[in-house]
Amino acid sequence: MRPLVLTTLFLALMSGLSLAAADSRGLDPVLINRIQATFDAVGFSPATINAVTNNDIKALSLCREKVCAFDNLFNVRLKSTGITNQAGSGRCWLFAGLNCFSPGVCKKLDLSRFEFSQPYLTFWDKMEKANFFLEEMIRLRERPLYDRELMVALDGPFGDGGWWHYATGLIEKYGVVPITAMPESKQSSNTGTVNSLAERKLKGFAAELRRAHTEGASENQLRQRKEQMLAEIYQLLVFAYGRPPKEFVYRYKVNDSTITDPKTYTPKSFYDEFIGGPIPEYAVLMNHPGKGYDSLYQIQGSRNMADREDLTLLNLSIDAVKDYCLKALLDSQAVWFACDVGVDNFNDSGVLRLGIYDFAGTLGMSFDIAKADRITLGDSYPNHAMTLVGVDTAADGSPVKWLVANSWGDKPGDDGYWTMYNDWFDMNVYLAVIRKDLLSDADRRKLDQKPMVLPSWDPFYQAAKHLQ
């Protein structure tokens, strides 16, 4: 019987090998040979391969012609109020937001430079985010842990990221203070450690709230416990950022000569005197070619405050978005915008331009993907917010390039300013915030639509965690 058993095993083994060879899903030797033959047929020289393997690909691919053609001249340029530096934090949305308000203060006080305190509003942003997270844990307390909405809520509840309406909501609620009243701390400039500690506390609190609910605690009892939890987060933030001022003394030098008398302010009274009145109404314009244009969208859960509304966006063509940005700059209004800053970015000179790196020439293949596909497949998303403060136009008035105030200090770029070419705007800008009074009557009416609600796992919601 033994020879029969061996024969049977041999036939079974051969049958298995035959099935495996016939399975087209695997990376088999025949397929590998065909792939290698395709590469060899191109005829890349060993010198080219050696150059790429032994050097930085971006340095090899930098298009000198485009760099040399760059200039930093703009025929429309708003008055500078100074470049800010978010350092090792993800607060670009807040820096860009405050940069839209500081020119008005400079003009009103006849100052060459003015800076609001970002740490002050960051402190309250963190408190609001903690409260919103705990409220979400109470709301979702009966959901299983694998519930998609709960999983999104648990992912980075204390991150630095945010949107335009986070900034305006904080300003309206807490006022503003100058940077001298609450300057940066070691932790506010490098937020990683505090953020991770706070997230550990918050997730521990989430587990506690879910257990308490299982054991029969009422919603009112959970909310009472939430207050104690927030007291611990406040304590952590005071150690990290310092205590936010309830009042402070401010004085300033006018025209680098006259010094004003000291005056005591609260954050609210400082806002009233130096900004004044309610914040104008703004529209957040989106360019997402994968969704219907002229439609209004709202992203579920896209807020930092439990008592505020989610982000609402009007999707327009990129040409319409650019037209409104140009209109705002011509009206002396800085523009908050969000983009994918990591693409075609020549950091040394601060140039954002398509093809600034010729990867196709270096590597022999195209890396082009349609903008809609880049968004929907997670290749690209708005990950950085900056401020438009100028534009250079052609003879017919159309934009050629845009002047951008960044928040990475004055070392990168042109003393901290960046030049964004018009074709780069087309492909990599996703959001721009425009005062509603600049919109056409037709576009203002579009804001009255009932928005289509996008789920919290939509790529544009995820951008809030990366808008840094």
Side-chain angles (χ1 to χ4, degrees):
M1 293 292 293
R2 192 162 182 264
L4 179 59
V5 172
L6 291 174
T7 301
T8 303
L9 290 173
F10 175 77
L11 291 174
L13 177 61
M14 292 307 293
S15 175
L17 290 174
S18 177
L19 287 172
D23 190 342
S24 61
R25 296 175 299 173
L27 191 63
D28 60 41
V30 175
L31 177 56
I32 290 173
N33 285 337
R34 289 203 302 269
I35 292 171
Q36 290 175 334
T38 300
F39 176 81
D40 293 338
V42 177
F44 291 108
S45 71
T48 300
I49 297 171
N50 288 338
V52 177
T53 55
N54 290 305
N55 291 279
D56 179 76
I57 291 178
K58 290 183 73 173
L60 282 174
S61 305
L62 183 65
C63 183
R64 181 173 174 80
E65 183 178 293
K66 289 184 181 291
V67 174
C68 292
F70 155 73
D71 71 59
N72 59 358
L73 302 177
F74 296 84
N75 56 11
V76 176
R77 184 167 185 157
L78 305 188
K79 182 180 178 182
S80 171
T81 60
I83 289 295
T84 54
N85 192 345
Q86 67 187 79
S89 72
R91 299 171 291 163
C92 65
W93 56 275
L94 179 57
F95 277 73
L98 290 173
N99 285 345
C100 290
F101 292 99
S102 54
V105 177
C106 285
K107 183 177 181 180
K108 186 169 187 176
L109 303 185
D110 195 18
L111 301 175
S112 60
R113 177 179 174 82
F114 177 82
E115 185 173 353
F116 289 106
S117 171
Q118 301 88 6
Y120 171 74
L121 288 180
T122 303
F123 184 102
W124 293 116
D125 173 59
K126 295 297 190 181
M127 282 297 296
E128 292 284 357
K129 283 175 176 171
N131 179 64
F132 178 57
F133 172 76
L134 294 175
E135 282 295 322
E136 287 291 271
M137 292 303 101
I138 293 172
R139 181 177 71 88
L140 302 171
R141 60 191 180 276
E142 294 184 352
R143 301 278 186 93
L145 284 174
Y146 54 79
D147 175 80
R148 195 169 188 181
E149 189 177 358
L150 177 60
M151 290 174 69
V152 170
L154 287 167
D155 180 23
F158 204 73
D160 290 343
W163 303 91
W164 163 263
H165 71 305
Y166 286 24
T168 54
L170 291 165
I171 292 170
E172 288 172 342
K173 192 170 185 177
Y174 296 101
V176 289
V177 306
I179 190 67
T180 52
M182 190 172 179
E184 297 280 9
S185 70
K186 182 71 173 178
Q187 308 307 325
S188 69
S189 298
N190 295 276
T191 57
T193 299
V194 170
N195 284 356
S196 62
L197 290 172
E199 287 196 8
R200 184 178 300 173
K201 289 293 292 183
L202 288 171
K203 289 181 179 180
F205 292 155
E208 180 184 336
L209 291 171
R210 289 174 66 84
R211 279 194 298 270
H213 168 68
T214 302
E215 294 166 1
S218 67
E219 183 173 332
N220 185 55
Q221 288 173 321
L222 295 179
R223 199 158 276 117
Q224 289 175 353
R225 176 63 183 119
K226 184 197 77 168
E227 182 176 336
Q228 298 169 333
M229 294 171 175
L230 288 174
E232 291 194 48
I233 298 298
Y234 182 91
Q235 176 180 326
L236 176 61
L237 287 173
V238 170
F239 277 108
Y241 289 81
R243 187 190 294 268
K246 293 182 179 180
E247 61 178 30
F248 57 93
V249 174
Y250 182 64
R251 61 197 301 223
Y252 56 94
K253 184 182 289 188
V254 181
N255 257 338
D256 297 325
S257 56
T258 306
I259 300 175
T260 64
D261 293 330
K263 183 177 177 180
T264 300
Y265 294 91
T266 67
K268 284 283 195 176
S269 68
F270 191 83
Y271 171 87
D272 290 338
E273 181 166 333
F274 295 111
I275 297 180
I279 294 176
E281 291 189 18
Y282 286 86
V284 181
L285 306 183
M286 171 175 75
N287 176 245
H288 189 334
K291 297 190 183 297
Y293 285 147
D294 303 313
S295 297
L296 199 64
Y297 295 88
Q298 189 172 57
I299 305 177
Q300 180 187 33
S302 57
R303 61 188 189 274
N304 59 343
M305 299 185 185
D307 54 356
R308 295 294 174 113
E309 296 295 320
D310 288 330
L311 177 66
T312 300
L313 313 103
L314 177 62
N315 196 26
L316 297 178
S317 70
I318 194 64
D319 287 337
V321 173
K322 288 192 296 186
D323 285 346
Y324 281 126
C325 290
L326 178 60
K327 189 175 181 180
L329 290 170
L330 294 175
D331 194 47
S332 299
Q333 297 179 28
V335 178
W336 186 103
F337 76 101
C339 62
D340 185 351
V341 76
V343 180
D344 287 312
N345 177 339
F346 182 43
N347 191 76
D348 292 359
S349 298
V351 179
L352 303 167
R353 189 172 191 179
L354 291 190
I356 197 79
Y357 297 105
D358 183 15
F359 294 122
T362 302
L363 301 170
M365 66 183 77
S366 172
F367 294 90
D368 293 339
I369 308 176
K371 188 173 185 179
D373 294 335
R374 292 170 65 208
I375 300 169
T376 56
L377 299 178
D379 174 72
S380 181
Y381 46 78
N383 52 35
H384 188 54
M386 298 182 284
T387 313
L388 293 178
V389 294
V391 64
D392 195 33
T393 58
D396 63 358
S398 61
V400 175
K401 61 184 189 294
W402 306 77
L403 181 62
V404 175
N406 203 348
S407 54
W408 291 348
D410 58 7
K411 299 303 180 186
D414 180 22
D415 294 328
Y417 290 94
W418 294 62
T419 296
M420 176 175 65
Y421 279 82
N422 205 46
D423 58 356
W424 195 96
F425 192 124
D426 291 342
M427 290 299 296
N428 297 297
V429 170
Y430 294 106
L431 302 171
V433 176
I434 303 294
R435 268 180 38 178
K436 286 185 180 180
D437 59 10
L438 291 182
L439 301 184
S440 68
D441 291 341
D443 284 338
R444 273 198 299 274
R445 285 194 294 270
K446 293 168 189 173
L447 298 173
D448 296 329
Q449 304 174 58
K450 182 178 180 181
M452 289 177 274
V453 178
L454 303 176
S456 58
W457 49 89
D458 184 273
F460 262 66
Y461 171 83
Q462 293 302 309
K465 299 180 183 298
H466 302 287
L467 202 57
Q468 303 179 356

